[in-house]
Amino acid sequence: MTSPRRGRPRTTGIDDALRAAVHELLAESGYQKSTVDMIAARAGVGKAAVYRRWRSKAELVFAAVVHDESLPPPPETGSLRGDVAGVLAVIQSSLDGPAAASALPGLLADVRADAELAERFGAQFVGRQRDYLVRMLDRAVARGELAARPDPAAVHAILLGTVFAWLHMLREPAPAGFADRLAGPLTAALRELA
């Protein structure tokens, strides 16, 4: 996959300032009222610095709030159930909190309304999330815990969808041990898909 970023390499200080500005403005104004101009001004950078890194407000906000383009390797616990619990905890930490609650409804509406943005978003974020899950699934196949790799899109929908629905559709706070409690039934679902 090619990176949609253009221009000079990123500078960590600018990235950190942009991330902080996004969080502050989401808390103050919400996603819809926050603009790239406002984010750049709050971060103390020119708008060009934002557009060298991100081509849209949606991509910038997702990277600042949920995860940027790089993902660390998925947790490796030695068992599929443990790995699923670890991945669920990562998803939960990415989607939980006031910044995500403020950003995601408008951000997803923007992505859905713009085919070009949706394509970039899919390559930048969704594709990387699925690659992340493939690594976890391939380890389980190698350990003999799965007969074959299940469809990564279905696994993505099951794991991400469960956490997203709980936090953002049902709007329930995640109970203690949320990821671990869901890991057993969701691992069974992945085995059914294999």
Side-chain angles (χ1 to χ4, degrees):
M1 269 180 252
T2 60
S3 174
R5 286 182 271 138
R6 303 167 286 182
R8 294 182 292 194
R10 290 180 159 186
T11 304
T12 303
I14 293 173
D15 290 345
D16 291 343
L18 287 169
R19 189 174 298 110
V22 165
H23 281 264
E24 290 168 12
L25 286 168
L26 287 172
E28 293 169 18
S29 306
Y31 176 82
Q32 295 296 352
K33 292 182 181 175
S34 297
T35 66
V36 170
D37 287 334
M38 292 167 67
I39 294 167
R42 179 68 61 97
V45 302
K47 193 162 69 168
V50 174
Y51 286 117
R52 276 194 297 272
R53 290 159 172 77
W54 305 107
R55 291 174 59 187
S56 71
K57 177 178 83 168
E59 291 159 293
L60 164 62
V61 170
F62 190 91
V65 172
V66 180
H67 69 76
D68 64 17
E69 292 177 308
S70 62
L71 290 170
E76 187 167 359
T77 66
S79 75
L80 178 58
R81 188 194 185 286
D83 290 357
V84 167
V87 167
L88 288 169
V90 168
I91 295 169
Q92 178 189 344
S93 69
S94 297
L95 296 180
D96 208 355
S102 174
L104 287 175
L107 186 155
L108 294 174
D110 283 355
V111 170
R112 187 163 178 88
D114 182 336
E116 184 181 329
L117 172 60
E119 186 175 328
R120 286 195 320 269
F121 193 85
Q124 281 178 278
F125 302 115
V126 175
R128 284 176 173 80
Q129 291 168 4
R130 289 190 183 158
D131 291 344
Y132 173 91
L133 293 174
V134 163
R135 293 167 72 182
M136 176 191 74
L137 296 169
D138 285 350
R139 289 192 316 236
V141 170
R143 288 191 302 256
E145 293 181 276
L146 292 173
R149 181 200 305 155
D151 175 22
V155 173
H156 194 212
I158 289 169
L159 300 183
L160 175 64
T162 300
V163 178
F164 182 87
W166 186 275
L167 297 174
H168 295 284
M169 294 175 69
L170 302 177
R171 301 177 111 185
E172 295 283 342
F178 178 71
D180 195 54
R181 289 170 58 186
L182 290 174
L186 295 180
T187 300
L190 300 192
R191 286 193 175 109
E192 287 292 319
L193 290 171

